[in-house]
């Protein structure tokens, strides 16, 4: 299980992939995984298809990672996706029987098909509730999400860390951060996390910016702030896609080097299913 990988006195290196959209060619992700395998990541996480559109693909992809690639698979599961405890037990049983013993428990955003009322009445309100029942059912290695720049619904960092501590107390074994571009923000966050008595591994999540279109999407979706250095590079190379991509990858490499020098528990790369980007960063 993934939680056992953090006792090797060296940082872990992990990737995140997502299932193709419902009508897309699913073979593309399997071809990518065969190439990702050559990078020898510690584990690969698979996002959960909101609303069930790609839920079956999520399970199949996680099974391929675990059983065909021989790499620990981390399957995402959101509270909104679970109608009751029986559904959860069946989902976990399927994973367990297929050798997948790792889960990322998430509250998740409201799926597009779900009304505000349905979302507010979801069976599991918080990821901490979900974590508790996962741990009751099976001895899974459970990951949780955290936000160096504070969860958008938290009043302040202290409230956010208090909720984070609840998750860990319910059984979360390690944490993966939302993407960020300012390492100092992560260092301050990590310091406060440790002060609060949270001692599980915390993996910084990195996503290289490789196109001008990506910038707007990342900022809108995650609310992350760009550093002055990164903003300057974006402006400088915005009319040259090749130079822009190169500058974005170089920034992520410097960011990763700084984090490793700081002694982080590992690096989690949001790969966007792009093998060439993962290779460039890993090398």
């Amino acid at each position: 299980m993934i939680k056992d990988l953090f006792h090797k006195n060296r940082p872990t290196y992990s990737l995140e992939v997502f299932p193709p959209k419902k009508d897309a060619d699913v073979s593309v992700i399997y071809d990518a995984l065969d190439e990702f395998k050559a990078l020898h990541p510690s584990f690969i996480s698979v996002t959960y298809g909101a609303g069930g559109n790609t839920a079956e693909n999520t399970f199949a992809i996680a099974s391929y990672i675990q059983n065909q690639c021989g790499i620990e698979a981390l399957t995402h599961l959101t509270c909104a996706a679970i109608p009751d405890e029986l559904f959860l037990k069946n989902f976990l049983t399927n994973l367990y029987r297929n050798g997948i013993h790792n889960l990322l428990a998430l509250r998740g955003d409201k799926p597009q098909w779900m009304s505000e009322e349905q979302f507010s009445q979801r069976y599991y309100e918080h990821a901490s509730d979900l974590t508790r029942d996962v741990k009751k059912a099976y001895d899974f290695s459970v990951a949780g999400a955290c936000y160096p720049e504070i969860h958008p619904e938290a009043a302040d960092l202290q409230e956010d860390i208090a909720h984070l501590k609840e998750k860990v107390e319910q059984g979360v074994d390690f944490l993966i951060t939302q993407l960020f571009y300012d390492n100092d923000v992560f260092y301050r966050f990590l310091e406060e996390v440790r002060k609060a008595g949270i001692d599980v591994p915390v993996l910084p999540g990195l996503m290289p910016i490789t196109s001008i279109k990506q910038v707007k999407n990342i900022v809108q979706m995650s609310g992350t702030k760009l550093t002055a250095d990164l903003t300057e590079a974006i402006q400088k190379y915005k009319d040259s896609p090749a130079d822009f991509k190169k500058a974005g990858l170089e920034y992520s490499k410097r960011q990763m080097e700084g984090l490793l020098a700081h002694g982080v528990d590992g690096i989690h790369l949001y790969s966007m299913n792009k093998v060439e980007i993962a290779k460039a960063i890993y090398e």
Side-chain angles (χ1 to χ4, degrees):
M1 290 191 287
I2 293 170
K3 65 182 179 182
D4 300 323
L5 302 177
F6 299 109
H7 306 292
K8 311 286 188 187
N9 295 319
R10 61 176 182 268
T12 60
Y13 294 89
S14 50
L15 299 164
E16 181 164 299
V17 298
F18 57 86
K21 291 181 180 177
K22 194 172 183 181
D23 300 323
D25 180 5
V26 76
S27 68
V28 173
I29 186 64
Y30 292 106
D31 292 341
L33 287 169
D34 289 338
E35 294 193 63
F36 282 139
K37 180 182 175 181
L39 300 175
H40 305 291
S42 307
F43 66 89
I44 298 178
S45 71
V46 191
T47 63
Y48 188 82
N53 285 347
T54 57
E56 288 180 12
N57 281 345
T58 297
F59 178 78
I61 291 165
S63 184
Y64 188 84
I65 292 165
Q66 188 76 43
N67 300 307
Q68 302 302 316
C69 298
I71 297 166
E72 290 289 344
L74 176 66
T75 305
H76 295 207
L77 185 61
T78 65
C79 290
I82 310 166
D84 52 45
E85 198 170 345
L86 178 61
F87 179 95
L88 175 66
K89 186 72 185 289
N90 289 337
F91 183 87
L92 296 177
T93 299
N94 275 341
L95 290 180
Y96 208 83
R97 286 177 178 169
N98 278 271
I100 303 162
H101 301 161
N102 310 291
L103 191 82
L104 175 57
L106 300 162
R107 191 204 72 174
D109 298 322
K110 182 180 76 66
Q112 289 183 346
W113 57 266
M114 190 178 269
S115 69
E116 291 289 350
E117 184 181 3
Q118 287 173 318
F119 186 65
S120 67
Q121 294 176 359
R122 60 192 179 276
Y123 187 79
Y124 288 110
E125 187 173 0
H126 301 294
S128 53
D129 306 321
L130 176 56
T131 299
R132 179 197 63 230
D133 281 2
V134 169
K135 285 290 189 175
K136 272 197 313 188
Y138 286 103
D139 180 27
F140 268 74
S141 180
V142 179
C146 59
Y147 299 80
E149 294 171 284
I150 308 175
H151 191 283
E153 293 177 22
D156 52 34
L157 183 60
Q158 282 65 42
E159 182 185 302
D160 199 14
I161 288 178
H163 289 312
L164 196 58
K165 192 167 185 178
E166 285 176 34
K167 284 200 278 194
V168 174
E169 287 170 348
Q170 292 297 343
V172 161
D173 298 294
F174 64 100
L175 297 162
I176 300 174
T177 78
Q178 170 70 279
L179 61 93
F180 62 91
Y181 294 98
D182 187 341
N183 283 2
D184 287 337
V185 168
F186 172 77
Y187 301 147
R188 287 194 293 272
F189 171 76
L190 187 61
E191 185 179 352
E192 293 301 318
V193 163
R194 298 306 184 214
K195 277 185 192 173
I198 299 170
D199 59 2
V200 299
V202 180
L203 307 184
L206 305 184
M207 181 185 284
I209 291 178
T210 56
S211 73
I212 195 73
K213 180 184 175 185
Q214 199 184 0
V215 177
K216 188 177 179 183
N217 290 341
I218 286 173
V219 172
Q220 275 185 347
M221 288 177 68
S222 70
T224 190
K225 296 176 180 66
L226 305 180
T227 63
D229 284 356
L230 186 54
T231 303
E232 184 181 332
I234 288 167
Q235 288 301 315
K236 185 176 180 180
Y237 299 114
K238 63 182 179 181
D239 297 321
S240 174
D243 289 332
F244 189 101
K245 183 176 181 178
K246 184 179 177 183
L249 289 171
E250 287 300 323
Y251 186 89
S252 289
K253 289 176 188 176
R254 291 195 302 274
Q255 192 181 4
M256 185 163 117
E257 285 165 4
L259 291 163
L260 291 171
H262 195 81
V264 294
D265 298 300
I267 300 288
H268 188 67
L269 187 67
Y270 295 107
S271 75
M272 303 301 290
N273 295 3
K274 293 179 180 175
V275 176
E276 73 279 9
I277 289 173
K279 280 184 177 177
I281 297 294
Y282 270 50
E283 286 165 2

